[in-house]
Amino acid sequence: MSTLVVLALIAAVMLVLYWAWWRWRIARYEAERRAEIAQAARARRLAELRINHLAQSALEQMIEAAQCDRFNPPPSR
């Protein structure tokens, strides 16, 4: 009977260790996935900022060109 109790305790400990290992694997996978999502969000935000900057620069150049044309009209023919 004592042997069966020891075997049952060993089996219970092995089961708990396996469960803990499995939960750790799942938590690690979820953490990696969240990190990938955060990195993708940062990359997307950076791309949006670059696009906005380029659009703002283009708009400023167009305004500057329009002001130059208004103050320095092309010669009439």
Side-chain angles (χ1 to χ4, degrees):
M1 187 86 155
S2 167
T3 305
L4 288 177
V5 171
V6 170
L7 288 176
L9 287 173
I10 291 172
V13 168
M14 295 290 288
L15 200 59
V16 168
L17 288 175
Y18 178 74
W19 175 82
W21 173 77
W22 190 253
R23 292 299 306 160
W24 174 77
R25 266 185 66 180
I26 291 171
R28 187 181 67 177
Y29 169 77
E30 289 173 350
E32 288 174 356
R33 185 71 181 127
R34 282 192 301 272
E36 289 172 358
I37 291 171
Q39 183 178 5
R42 282 191 301 271
R44 180 178 176 169
R45 180 67 182 141
L46 184 59
E48 289 173 353
L49 290 173
R50 286 180 182 155
I51 290 171
N52 288 342
H53 177 72
L54 290 173
Q56 182 68 31
S57 296
L59 182 61
E60 289 170 357
Q61 289 176 358
M62 290 170 55
I63 291 171
E64 186 178 322
Q67 288 173 344
C68 287
D69 289 345
R70 187 168 33 143
F71 293 117
N72 301 317
S76 301
R77 292 193 182 219

